[in-house]
Each structure stands twice: as C-alpha cells, then as structure tokens.
Amino acid sequence: MPNVNFTGFKRIVADPEYCDGQPRIEGTRITVGAILSYLAGGMNVEQILEAYPKLSSGDVYEAIAFAAAHFRDRYLPLKLTPAAA
C-alpha cells in the first residue's frame, strides 16, 4: 500500500509498512508522535534538528500543526474533584 497523504500537510505521510502506520515525516521513520514527545520532554526545535539532520524546521512545525489539527475537535470532559484538604 502506498503512502497516505494528509490534505493540507505536504510532508506528513502514513504507510502501514513503516512505523506501524503512524503519521511520520516523509522520507524518514521519524513520527509526528516522536517529535511531539521530544518537544514535551524539553528539547527545542534546534536540538531536534541537531539530533535528526534529515529534518527541517518546517518538518517540525508541520508535525505540530498536524497534531493540533487532528486534536482540535476532540474534547473529553473532565470531572474535577476538590483537592484533598
């Protein structure tokens, strides 16, 4: 099966033959989830680019935009409980 391309995202693809079908940067095995994990873990864009020279800053920002677009309409109501006194 060929890559699945996502409308509005030039560099994000998915293919069940690579990375278990997770969205990734085209031409790499670097997933959107991995990029988000690095950012959440404290790496900045420059550090990610140093660790993965095949990536461009545009790839990283497109991964962020892709994640934002795909989670925008998902809402999970949370039940907040008062903090224990």
Side-chain angles (χ1 to χ4, degrees):
M1 176 180 216
N3 282 340
V4 172
N5 294 303
F6 297 94
T7 303
F9 299 95
K10 296 177 183 176
R11 299 277 297 141
I12 308 294
V13 297
D15 183 332
E17 298 292 320
Y18 298 96
C19 303
D20 295 324
Q22 296 178 54
R24 61 184 172 82
I25 303 299
E26 186 172 33
T28 75
R29 291 179 182 262
I30 304 167
T31 65
V32 169
I35 292 170
L36 296 175
S37 292
Y38 300 139
L39 291 166
M43 290 178 79
N44 61 39
V45 174
E46 292 76 24
Q47 291 169 323
I48 294 171
L49 298 178
E50 286 175 21
Y52 298 96
K54 284 189 171 186
L55 292 180
S56 69
S57 60
D59 293 333
V60 175
Y61 290 116
E62 188 162 312
I64 296 167
F66 177 84
H70 284 81
F71 286 101
R72 180 177 312 139
D73 296 326
R74 297 175 192 236
Y75 170 73
L76 227 90
L78 301 175
K79 290 185 180 181
L80 300 176
T81 58

